[in-house]
Amino acid sequence: MGIPLNVLIVDHADSNASLMLVELRKGRFTPTHKRVGNAEEMRAALNSDQWDIIISAHDMPNFSALAALNVLAEHGEDIPFILVSDANREDSAVEAMKRGAQDYIMKGNLKRLLPAIERELREAAIRHERQQDEDRLYHSMHYDHVSDMPNRTLFCEQMKRAILASRRSSDPLAVLVIKLNQFQQVNNALGSIRGDNLLQQVGQRLQRCRDGSEPIAHFGGTTFAILLPEAEVEEAIRTAKRLLKETESPFMTENLPISVTGNVGIARFPEHGSDPNTLIQRAEIALYAAVQLGSEYAIYQPEMDFENYRRLLLMGRLAVIIGKETELFLQYQPQVEMKTMRVVGVEALMRWQHPEHGLILPNQFISATEQTGLIQPLTTWVLKTALQQYRAWEDLGLNITQAVNISARSLQDLEFPYHVANMIKAQKGYPEWLQIEITEGAIMANPARAMGILTQLSAMKISLSMDDFGTGYSSLGRLKDMPVDEIKIDQCFVKGMLTNEDDAAMVRSMINLFHNLGRIVLAEGVENQATWDMLASLGCDRVQGFFIARPMGGDQFPHWLKASPYHVE
Ligand code: C2E
Ligand code: MG
Ligand code: MG
């Protein structure tokens, strides 16, 4: 058995084809062939089969080698083409070689055919390999190595073309940059391979939820981008919301549901820039602003370039006012036990009434204080204020816990439990007054250390609650071993459960699961009676949300309690 060789013979006569095949069989080849005598037959053959080589006669009644070369060029595949011609046709043979034929053999000298084929196959293989190398190089320069989606370079090229088209048509275009949160923790908790797998899933989902085939890219890490040609602002916003919504319903990694949150920054051509890099940069500035503001998306505004500066000013002011009872204050939001209608606790939520910027909510400044180290004095202030408030409420005969949110930094601070103990002592309080709310993310930064600190707090009889559950990536295995008393199901599931079956299923299984682990389950973000009813039917223990009460001042709480259907005994 020789080497298989699939030969396309372009000739009008079978007898000529047979002569060539006889010649081929003399070599190492076992040829298979098809003969075509005109352009249609040749096109059909090229489309229906894979050919190693084409051997073509020069002139045929209905066809010619030059016409056959045109058909091959049209087809676009690189198949060696050998011309077999009568003697004295050198001129047109040279013309054929100029148009892409690799060699020409005189009809009377067919013994040159075999070596020519061998050489051409070798060269074709080299060409093919080189082409593959080039393709690979092109690919690695233009596609992300984790998700295999177009990268920033390719996206910029696509943008350049889109900008040119927009210039011609005077249509606007929008660039959306999307960044997903908390992936570092996924990588820490699940390993980078599963982190990469999650990114691939996210990429696929983002690709699927486009309207059409708008260019989409993965800039690496957790950042993606999408280009919307001809998009007005409203459409850009709609798309941003849809993309985020799409990533909300959990991804499955190793049977673990993981939901992803993100922010989107939007920049538009022509207002915000006229070249790809400026537009992307400005979308990234808007993205950064969205993260800082805790909003889903932000559209670029020139003032945003000063956002960093503003943040520094805010932190500077905060450093001065912590501890002075001026601009910072706490609000308290009740938590109710569903079965008994008893108020079992309140959560202290920080507020900053800034003289120029008005009311600033914690999501707008907590992360900056974590980066600047201001979070420590701030946490001290919150604990002290919350404990003082508890003492002030004591006369009401309350039997509640005062929940305080603790940032990631505190959970890495080995001194934190002593610090809390000292604060309780200083306020002449009891550990049972306090509940400490932690998030999955805060634990994931250094699980072993966080675990040590939580164990100490728990041993001190301070109850622990896992906040925003479902938005992070802690493994259930780890959670099972942690001394937390209560799990707070994140509002995004609770809000979605009436309309979204996935959310409802998540809430149901979280309640069952945590009950099996002996934990109390609290649902956050309960905004209406229907949600209350559904949670009650699922056996949820506690609820918190605007339906029960909005966060309120400490002085207001006793009045609210009196007027409410709830009690404290
Ligand atoms: P969180 O601990 O999950 O607090 C619940 C947030 O949801 C609060 O927002 C609350 O006002 C809001 N909320 C409660 N019920 C509902 C509802 O029915 N519907 C809606 N839409 N929202 C509801 P807030 O006060 O803006 O706090 C945001 C986050 O800031 C908190 O989330 C917490 O992680 C953090 N935070 C608040 N105070 C402190 C603090 O003193 N220290 C630290 N480290 N973080 C804090
Ligand atoms: Mg909380
Ligand atoms: Mg929460």
Side-chain angles (χ1 to χ4, degrees), residues 437 467-468 488 490-491 524:
E437 289 194 10
D467 204 356
D468 303 342
K488 296 181 81 168
D490 192 70
Q491 348 188 330
E524 301 185 274

Side-chain angles (χ1 to χ4, degrees), residues 364-466:
Q364 292 171 257
F365 64 92
I366 295 280
S367 75
T369 65
E370 287 181 338
Q371 283 153 30
T372 52
L374 273 181
I375 188 66
Q376 273 148 338
L378 202 57
T379 305
T380 304
W381 175 82
V382 174
L383 280 167
K384 179 172 154 225
T385 310
L387 286 163
Q388 280 172 346
Q389 180 62 64
Y390 199 105
R391 159 103 27 247
W393 284 332
E394 232 195 345
D395 301 338
L396 300 174
L398 296 188
N399 175 22
I400 59 175
T401 50
Q402 165 73 75
V404 172
N405 293 283
I406 292 301
S407 84
R409 274 287 269 275
S410 303
L411 267 194
Q412 303 306 322
D413 175 6
L414 293 174
E415 302 284 313
F416 184 66
Y418 303 104
H419 184 59
V420 176
N422 285 336
M423 304 279 303
I424 295 172
K425 209 185 287 168
Q427 299 303 319
K428 299 195 171 59
Y430 301 93
E432 291 84 352
W433 286 5
L434 272 189
Q435 181 174 60
I436 284 185
E437 289 194 10
I438 48 171
T439 58
E440 296 170 82
I443 292 168
M444 287 308 152
N446 181 341
R449 182 180 281 202
M451 185 75 159
I453 291 167
L454 292 180
T455 309
Q456 281 185 60
L457 290 170
S458 176
M460 287 158 60
K461 296 207 165 60
I462 293 174
S463 68
L464 300 175
S465 177
M466 174 69 85

Side-chain angles (χ1 to χ4, degrees), residues 351-362:
R351 302 288 179 255
W352 180 3
Q353 187 66 47
H354 192 285
E356 287 153 38
H357 302 300
L359 184 68
I360 310 180
L361 291 172

Side-chain angles (χ1 to χ4, degrees), residues 238-484:
R238 256 199 313 277
T239 306
K241 287 184 170 169
R242 196 175 61 234
L243 293 173
L244 291 175
K245 182 104 199 93
E246 196 62 30
T247 57
E248 261 175 26
S249 51
F251 294 86
M252 294 304 292
T253 307
E254 303 266 307
N255 290 330
L256 201 69
I258 292 176
S259 44
V260 173
T261 59
N263 304 84
V264 179
I266 302 171
R268 280 160 42 83
F269 171 83
E271 301 105 284
H272 302 146
S274 53
D275 64 280
N277 278 323
T278 307
L279 284 167
I280 292 175
Q281 225 171 47
R282 298 203 154 158
E284 285 174 335
I285 288 171
L287 166 71
Y288 180 72
V291 173
Q292 294 300 305
L293 297 170
S295 62
E296 284 189 306
Y297 65 88
I299 299 169
Y300 173 79
Q301 289 162 17
E303 306 85 77
M304 284 176 177
D305 286 326
F306 298 105
E307 202 43 47
N308 265 327
Y309 180 66
R310 192 181 96 110
R311 202 166 76 109
L312 281 178
L313 286 184
L314 275 185
M315 288 305 107
R317 182 168 186 89
L318 196 56
V320 175
I321 60 165
I322 294 176
K324 300 190 180 137
E325 311 293 314
T326 47
E327 295 169 27
L328 285 177
F329 62 101
L330 293 182
Q331 284 194 322
Y332 302 87
Q333 190 178 31
Q335 303 171 329
V336 169
E337 188 168 65
M338 301 193 86
K339 268 195 197 123
T340 57
M341 297 288 273
R342 189 168 75 85
V343 177
V344 289
V346 291
E347 176 175 7
L349 295 161
M350 200 176 339
R351 302 288 179 255
W352 180 3
Q353 187 66 47
H354 192 285
E356 287 153 38
H357 302 300
L359 184 68
I360 310 180
L361 291 172
N363 283 336
Q364 292 171 257
F365 64 92
I366 295 280
S367 75
T369 65
E370 287 181 338
Q371 283 153 30
T372 52
L374 273 181
I375 188 66
Q376 273 148 338
L378 202 57
T379 305
T380 304
W381 175 82
V382 174
L383 280 167
K384 179 172 154 225
T385 310
L387 286 163
Q388 280 172 346
Q389 180 62 64
Y390 199 105
R391 159 103 27 247
W393 284 332
E394 232 195 345
D395 301 338
L396 300 174
L398 296 188
N399 175 22
I400 59 175
T401 50
Q402 165 73 75
V404 172
N405 293 283
I406 292 301
S407 84
R409 274 287 269 275
S410 303
L411 267 194
Q412 303 306 322
D413 175 6
L414 293 174
E415 302 284 313
F416 184 66
Y418 303 104
H419 184 59
V420 176
N422 285 336
M423 304 279 303
I424 295 172
K425 209 185 287 168
Q427 299 303 319
K428 299 195 171 59
Y430 301 93
E432 291 84 352
W433 286 5
L434 272 189
Q435 181 174 60
I436 284 185
E437 289 194 10
I438 48 171
T439 58
E440 296 170 82
I443 292 168
M444 287 308 152
N446 181 341
R449 182 180 281 202
M451 185 75 159
I453 291 167
L454 292 180
T455 309
Q456 281 185 60
L457 290 170
S458 176
M460 287 158 60
K461 296 207 165 60
I462 293 174
S463 68
L464 300 175
S465 177
M466 174 69 85
D467 204 356
D468 303 342
F469 192 83
T471 58
Y473 307 103
S474 41
S475 75
L476 288 176
R478 184 168 278 137
L479 187 74
K480 172 170 70 57
D481 298 327
M482 271 188 330
V484 292

